[in-house]
Amino acid sequence: MSTPTPPAPATPPGPQLTVRRLLLLSIPAIVIGVLSAVSLRLLDLIADQLDDVLWTDTPKSLGIAPDSPWWIFAVLTATGIAVGLVVWLVPGHAGPDSATTELASTPLKLMVLPGLAVVVILSLAGGVSLGPENPIIAINVSLAVALVARISKAVPPELIGALAISATIGALFGTPVAAALVFTGMVGEFKMGGSLWDKLFLPLAAAGAGSVTMYLLGGGFGSQTPFDPYGAPQAFDLLLGAVIACAAAAFGLVGIYLFPLVHRAFHALRHPLLFTVLGGVVLGLLGMIGGPITLFKGLDQSEELLADTSAYGPGQLTVILLVKLAALVVAASAGFRGGRIFPAVFLGVAAGLLGGALLPGVPLSLAVACGVLGVVLAIARDGWVALFVAVAIVDDVTVLPMLCIIVLPAWLVVTRAREMLITPADLARERPEAPLPWARSGSVR
């Protein structure tokens, strides 16, 4: 996923926006926001239903404990088989490998979207350590561009894509603030005049509509665990918080540097069924070691960790961190489709709890926020998003002044490191020049 800043193709071109044009374009922006949230919520609900079948109904009917190591292994292996079959056989091959894509997306052919949606649902329900963010943004961008193009030619496709990205980010994080922070980093590329808020107006309208719709549909983001407010900043906490954030960022970089090596190892098998099944087997083995807490995208599991922090000692947290990082790298490398932000949040929560246990003088809310800040900063490579998620997960705005300073040394740790993205140069080193037989049926673009 690396940085969530949308690329240049998603930059809306055009002249300076007038009040009239802003008002007129607000209509498609709001519609795109609502529809983007609906598609995300629908995908989540289908995945939840399948989750119940796989992890509650079926093991109960078989008399098996759902947290049995062998059941975890069986479900993840079966998920690898199912995803591999879809990527191999379904038209469009479920879109591009998520390891090669950032959070933003250019439109895909409509024939690609059903297969992409199926593999995301399978992965979310099957316990794969990836979130829905990259695929659902790709789906929403593609649907929005296709829909608006049929209705009106007056709205540029680039603007439609930018609005769909913003709307989906707003729906994913439950607030337009996240989208505003993402788009603030790219407004300098907008080819139009006006102030910063002129350029943010339409993305914010789409993100606001998406977040409100998601709330009304029962979705949301953030910790449900009440923290004691951090309160007034303490000078010594700056040092301890910076140690936790920098250590968490460095830990995230370990996975990032292993990422191209693991991706190359899996894709040496060349066929998607082979390397995705192998990925499912490895994820199953990791799940047997780490247990249910290390499965899935990680948001519910973060709440589980925070619900009873005394239940996890430093040794357990270390195992959880190592297993979850390995699961994220394997899932992202082995052909599954998904994003890396949500698993990064879980890793950050675990890292913050470990840091708080090793440095007991740090208030818990600050320790967890610093852990999330460090890991998300390393994996997302965006300081705004890292700050937002760190505050949102602890639901304590009093940590923000401290985080705004602590993010600076943490940024120095990651700024010259590689991103968690398989680049064209990486692909050139691991792939033969001849196209793979299963992939000749057509481009996804």
Side-chain angles (χ1 to χ4, degrees):
M1 175 225 45
S2 86
T3 174
T5 302
T11 299
Q16 181 171 348
L17 292 171
T18 63
V19 172
R20 181 177 181 274
R21 184 166 173 79
L22 284 173
L23 287 173
L24 290 175
L25 290 176
S26 295
I27 298 172
I30 293 171
V31 172
I32 289 172
V34 171
L35 295 179
S36 295
V38 169
S39 67
L40 170 60
R41 187 59 178 152
L42 182 61
L43 184 145
D44 281 341
L45 290 174
I46 296 173
D48 288 344
Q49 292 297 315
L50 181 58
D51 182 314
D52 289 339
V53 172
L54 294 176
W55 297 100
T56 303
D57 299 338
T58 302
K60 182 179 179 180
S61 66
L62 296 174
I64 301 172
D67 58 352
S68 163
W70 288 108
W71 184 253
I72 291 173
F73 177 80
V75 172
L76 281 161
T77 300
T79 300
I81 295 171
V83 170
L85 288 171
V86 175
V87 173
W88 174 30
L89 298 174
V90 171
H93 306 294
D97 183 359
S98 291
T100 66
T101 63
E102 299 180 277
L103 192 60
S105 174
T106 52
L108 305 175
K109 292 181 178 180
L110 293 182
M111 72 170 186
V112 176
L113 304 188
L116 179 56
V118 168
V119 297
V120 175
I121 290 168
L122 289 171
S123 296
L124 290 174
V128 175
S129 292
L130 292 173
E133 53 270 27
N134 290 48
I136 192 60
I137 287 177
I139 290 170
N140 284 344
V141 167
S142 305
L143 290 175
V145 169
L147 177 64
V148 177
R150 291 179 179 274
I151 298 173
S152 172
K153 303 294 184 182
V155 186
E158 295 82 2
L159 176 58
I160 300 169
L163 295 178
I165 293 169
S166 184
T168 310
I169 293 174
L172 280 165
F173 294 102
T175 171
V177 173
L181 294 174
V182 168
F183 274 77
T184 299
M186 67 167 288
V187 292
E189 300 176 2
F190 279 26
K191 299 177 182 178
M192 58 185 175
S195 69
L196 170 65
W197 280 90
D198 282 333
K199 298 174 181 179
L200 286 177
F201 186 89
L202 295 173
L204 275 176
S211 60
V212 170
T213 302
M214 195 65 176
Y215 174 79
L216 294 174
L217 293 175
F221 175 87
S223 173
Q224 303 299 315
T225 303
F227 283 89
D228 293 331
Y230 171 70
Q234 302 294 321
F236 192 57
D237 289 343
L238 280 175
L239 175 60
L240 297 180
V243 169
I244 293 174
C246 291
F251 178 72
L253 290 180
V254 172
I256 290 172
Y257 278 100
L258 290 174
F259 187 34
L261 302 178
V262 178
H263 190 275
R264 186 184 310 168
F266 276 105
H267 286 256
L269 296 175
R270 299 196 66 198
H271 199 286
L273 183 59
L274 295 178
F275 58 69
T276 307
V277 171
L278 178 60
V281 170
V282 175
L283 289 175
L285 294 173
L286 290 170
M288 294 176 74
I289 297 170
I293 194 73
T294 60
L295 306 181
F296 302 99
K297 65 182 180 182
L299 196 57
D300 292 338
Q301 289 68 35
S302 296
E303 294 180 7
E304 184 178 340
L305 280 179
L306 296 173
D308 186 5
T309 57
S310 62
Y312 300 92
Q316 289 174 293
L317 290 170
T318 300
V319 172
I320 289 171
L321 279 166
L322 293 174
V323 169
K324 188 65 174 184
L325 183 65
L328 170 58
V329 172
V330 168
S333 301
F336 295 94
R337 305 298 193 254
R340 277 89 74 185
I341 287 183
F342 284 94
V345 172
F346 174 86
L347 285 168
V349 169
L353 291 176
L354 178 59
L358 298 177
L359 301 171
V362 184
L364 183 59
S365 62
L366 180 63
V368 171
C370 288
V372 172
L373 176 75
V375 179
V376 174
L377 192 65
I379 290 178
R381 206 56 57 86
D382 189 301
W384 290 121
V385 171
L387 283 168
F388 165 78
V389 174
V391 173
I393 202 70
V394 299
D395 196 21
D396 180 12
V397 74
T398 63
V399 303
L400 183 57
M402 299 289 284
L403 295 182
C404 288
I405 300 173
I406 291 170
V407 72
L408 301 177
W411 179 253
L412 294 179
V413 173
V414 306
T415 183
R416 291 294 178 260
R418 71 167 288 142
E419 298 179 358
M420 194 169 188
L421 185 72
I422 301 301
T423 65
D426 295 325
L427 293 176
R429 284 191 290 268
E430 70 181 43
R431 290 181 180 175
E433 293 186 5
L436 301 181
W438 60 268
R440 289 174 183 164
S441 59
S443 169
V444 299
R445 297 290 180 183

